[in-house]
Amino acid sequence: MDNNNIRVRFAPSPTGPLHIGGVRTALYNYLFAKKNGGKFILRIEDTDQTRFVPGAEEYIIESFEWCGIEFDEGVGKGGPFGPYKQSERKEIYRQYADALIESGNAYYAFDTPGELNNKRKEYESQKKNFSYNAAERMNMRNSLSLPGYETKKLLKEGVPYVIRFKMPEDETVEMNDLIRGKVVVNTKVLDDKVLYKSDGMPTYHLANVVDDHLMEISHVIRGEEWLPSLPLHVLLYKALGWEAPEFAHLPLLLKPEGNGKLSKRDGDRLGFPVFPLQWKDPKTGELSRGYREDGYFPEAFVNMLVLLGWNPGDERELFTLEELTKVFSIERVNKSGAKFDPEKAKWFNHQYLIRKSDEELAGLFMPVLKEHGIEADKDFVKTVIGLVKERATFVKDLWDQSYFFFIAPEEYDKKAVKKRWKAQSYDQMKELSEILKNTEPFTSANIEETVKKWIEEKEYGMGGVMNAFRLLIVGALKGPHLFDIVALIGKAETLKRMEKGLQTLGKKE
Ligand code: GLU
């Protein structure tokens, strides 16, 4: 059922690749919208031109396409509340900054970067931090401290200025967070944030609040790092005479070990991606790995992410995106940070891989085979996949688990040969190849029965025979059930491999 009152947004700044924490924020917004029949909006917050990175916006859009997370409105999509990119909404913000000055909630500040720097240094020399706040503002150069005519003159002369929020001096702000409950802050600890910059652009705070209001956002669901900005935002809504939306601040994604926010460095150090897609830094050319390129299925990636900070209330772990839109609820989002577990991410991929049909996996695996120069029959590939998929995490792993179905061994694992190719192996394998020559039908079950009977009659050691046999067929002591392998590669190929192996390994003295 549609609910026009529920509107949420994901509002990234295009400053680089999207961290998986950002993808999770978007995912929770998406699920919340879908669950409640609302709308999900993509807004690009690019008011800080100094931090703009080319390609980042396209990267964000492509990431969500890959994940299967769809927006209802926004950049690349359009909609009735556009434009959805803040740099294209430039003219909208000024009037609200003016209104705040008009109502006495904001003021012009003329302090130059040099003056502000000196102030900071002066404080540092006394081992204190400078904060542009109620206690300090009258010592600075602004429309509160200067006489009215002076302000007028400076404005007329076109002296650069910023517009700052006049933070109430000693007021208790009570806020509600859907995840954390009641949050109380006294304005004494807050400063007079810049709302509008000298370059004619709003800052994040002003643009964010104005747009959430104009786009009729009902719920702001975002990362915990924005919680310290909440009192300012709530006061801005009040000062502008608007009703504030509901807020939910999501817990951080934490490093696999210890505490602290999961960073790209953790990923590099421990060998896992922290970005959905590969990213090439346009300045340095540095390449960062992505889940897509590492071989993750988007469904597994999304499933892994959703459980980092949310739980369904029972032990269930596997959910499709569609199922999540029914069971997700903000009430079940945890307050505390979620530790990222790279092994668990792989586990999810494995779970999705083994649930895929042999047909689908064969389709994905054929190109990998082709890269190895192998043109195989699809039905043969399907059967191979059925035998080995339990052992694979990624499609690319299927090669390591199955190459011996497609190519005869060129070499024989040295360690295995040393340990398992015994004095009697040569004669036993010669004998076995004679037996296999006459084994009909050449099916796994029949070969198994024949071989076992022969071993029993001759009173050979089962392990010894099977290891030697496997060495000749596979070239190493790995792979699925050996009788399945030989049945699938067929009698001629089996005998050929045995002969070649016998020639290469020879009789051990
Ligand atoms: N542009 C902010 C960011 O990059 C958005 C924060 C918010 O959702 O309010 O995270």
Side-chain angles (χ1 to χ4, degrees):
M1 204 177 42
D2 271 2
N3 182 342
N4 292 327
N5 299 323
I6 301 283
R7 294 175 55 82
V8 294
R9 85 307 191 266
F10 180 58
S13 301
T15 55
L18 192 60
H19 187 277
I20 53 173
V23 182
R24 188 200 54 176
T25 299
L27 174 62
Y28 286 9
N29 272 283
Y30 168 81
L31 295 175
F32 182 80
K34 288 286 158 257
K35 170 86 183 278
N36 295 296
K39 293 268 186 287
F40 179 39
I41 293 130
L42 174 65
R43 183 172 74 223
I44 297 287
E45 302 208 324
D46 57 348
T47 55
D48 189 350
Q49 288 157 334
T50 59
R51 293 180 63 215
F52 178 80
V53 173
E57 184 183 315
E58 293 75 11
Y59 177 96
I60 290 166
I61 292 173
E62 200 180 329
S63 298
F64 292 118
E65 272 169 12
W66 180 66
C67 292
I69 296 175
E70 265 191 67
F71 294 94
D72 299 299
E73 291 171 28
V75 172
K77 192 95 196 179
F81 294 83
Y84 292 90
K85 202 190 282 195
Q86 289 186 329
S87 59
E88 292 168 11
R89 302 170 62 79
K90 218 173 140 184
E91 304 75 47
I92 297 178
Y93 307 108
R94 178 70 209 211
Q95 56 185 295
Y96 298 102
D98 288 341
L100 287 165
I101 293 188
E102 195 70 19
S103 60
N105 288 295
Y107 59 90
Y108 301 104
F110 300 98
D111 320 271
T112 64
E115 285 166 352
L116 287 169
N117 229 349
N118 287 343
K119 239 331 182 228
R120 269 185 218 113
K121 282 208 186 111
E122 187 188 313
Y123 268 69
E124 265 165 35
S125 68
Q126 300 166 38
K127 300 239 176 307
K128 286 195 291 188
N129 273 333
F130 171 68
S131 175
Y132 205 122
N133 57 17
E136 271 299 338
R137 67 169 79 107
M138 293 313 277
N139 305 323
M140 308 299 292
R141 268 187 347 114
N142 55 51
S143 55
L144 299 177
S145 63
L146 299 171
Y149 64 85
E150 181 74 22
T151 299
K152 266 201 199 113
K153 192 174 134 237
L154 291 173
L155 289 177
K156 209 164 151 208
E157 284 169 358
V159 171
Y161 62 84
V162 299
I163 297 174
R164 286 183 182 269
F165 185 66
K166 189 178 168 207
M167 187 55 76
E169 228 178 299
D170 179 9
E171 200 176 284
T172 305
V173 190
E174 270 196 29
M175 298 152 283
N176 184 50
D177 183 278
L178 294 174
I179 296 164
R180 274 144 235 276
K182 198 159 118 180
V183 182
V184 182
V185 172
N186 190 289
T187 54
K188 261 192 265 184
V189 300
L190 304 174
D191 59 351
D192 292 356
K193 282 270 182 290
V194 174
L195 300 176
Y196 202 84
K197 295 176 289 185
S198 51
D199 65 0
M201 277 291 215
T203 58
Y204 154 73
H205 300 294
L206 181 68
N208 187 270
V209 163
V210 167
D211 284 346
D212 281 345
H213 173 74
L214 295 180
M215 294 180 184
E216 296 178 14
I217 299 302
S218 62
H219 294 74
V220 169
I221 305 170
R222 61 185 172 192
E224 185 182 277
E225 63 272 28
W226 298 104
L227 192 57
S229 301
L230 184 57
L232 170 65
H233 293 184
V234 166
L235 289 168
L236 275 171
Y237 281 102
K238 199 171 137 201
L240 288 161
W242 297 336
E243 195 189 328
E246 303 257 20
F247 291 96
H249 289 86
L250 306 173
L252 292 177
L253 285 192
L254 304 175
K255 297 177 189 305
E257 0 90 327
N259 281 324
K261 207 170 147 178
L262 177 70
S263 72
K264 172 166 146 43
R265 240 173 302 135
D266 300 317
D268 292 344
R269 193 166 45 86
L270 300 167
F272 61 85
V274 296
F275 303 126
L277 317 179
Q278 194 176 71
W279 166 259
K280 189 170 174 199
D281 189 295
K283 266 208 201 109
T284 62
E286 190 200 347
L287 208 60
S288 302
R289 60 204 280 183
Y291 279 84
R292 182 177 66 182
E293 290 73 13
D294 267 22
Y296 282 84
F297 298 119
E299 312 92 284
F301 172 68
V302 164
N303 197 154
M304 174 276 289
L305 264 189
V306 81
L307 290 167
L308 291 171
W310 170 84
N311 70 80
D314 56 31
E315 296 303 305
R316 186 168 169 200
E317 291 188 286
L318 297 176
F319 297 93
T320 64
L321 197 54
E322 173 72 26
E323 285 164 344
L324 287 169
T325 61
K326 303 206 172 73
V327 296
F328 182 80
S329 72
I330 269 292
E331 290 74 28
R332 299 212 71 92
V333 173
N334 309 331
K335 276 197 208 60
S336 50
K339 236 177 218 169
F340 180 77
D341 178 354
E343 287 312 309
K344 192 77 191 192
K346 287 188 191 149
W347 179 86
F348 276 107
N349 213 63
H350 173 69
Q351 294 303 319
Y352 276 84
L353 186 139
I354 59 177
R355 280 167 179 75
K356 285 196 187 290
S357 68
D358 298 344
E359 170 82 29
E360 185 182 350
L361 287 172
L364 297 169
F365 189 43
M366 299 288 273
V368 180
L369 286 172
K370 211 161 178 192
E371 276 169 34
H372 285 98
I374 288 156
E375 299 274 359
D377 171 66
K378 183 136 184 214
D379 284 331
F380 181 78
V381 176
K382 265 166 64 178
T383 313
V384 168
I385 284 174
L387 294 175
V388 303
K389 67 178 180 185
E390 280 290 341
R391 299 155 187 260
T393 299
F394 301 105
V395 168
K396 60 179 187 262
D397 298 347
L398 291 169
W399 172 251
D400 258 358
Q401 297 300 339
S402 72
Y403 61 87
F404 41 82
F405 283 100
F406 306 98
I407 43 175
E410 299 280 332
E411 294 170 353
Y412 300 85
D413 181 55
K414 286 202 181 64
K415 254 201 200 147
V417 171
K418 206 169 156 207
K419 233 172 136 187
R420 304 290 181 205
W421 190 252
K422 310 263 188 202
Q424 68 276 21
S425 297
Y426 185 87
D427 290 338
Q428 285 178 343
M429 289 303 112
K430 260 225 133 40
E431 224 180 284
L432 177 58
S433 69
E434 285 308 315
I435 287 168
L436 293 177
K437 237 178 238 170
N438 301 316
T439 304
E440 269 320 321
F442 206 70
T443 58
S444 179
N446 193 40
I447 304 165
E448 179 163 359
E449 206 190 309
T450 312
V451 172
K452 283 188 172 161
K453 220 155 92 199
W454 162 70
I455 292 175
E456 266 164 39
E457 273 169 21
K458 296 283 179 151
E459 295 185 354
Y460 291 151
M462 179 76 163
V465 169
M466 291 308 289
N467 281 327
F469 190 17
R470 190 176 283 275
L471 259 176
L472 298 186
I473 301 299
V474 175
L477 296 177
K478 64 192 249 183
H481 195 51
L482 186 55
F483 300 112
D484 287 345
I485 305 179
V486 289
L488 204 55
I489 61 176
K491 190 188 278 187
E493 177 69 13
T494 300
L495 296 176
K496 213 164 107 193
R497 289 190 189 187
M498 291 184 82
E499 200 180 315
K500 181 169 173 230
L502 283 164
Q503 260 175 33
T504 314
L505 298 179
K507 203 166 172 150
K508 197 167 179 178
E509 298 307 324

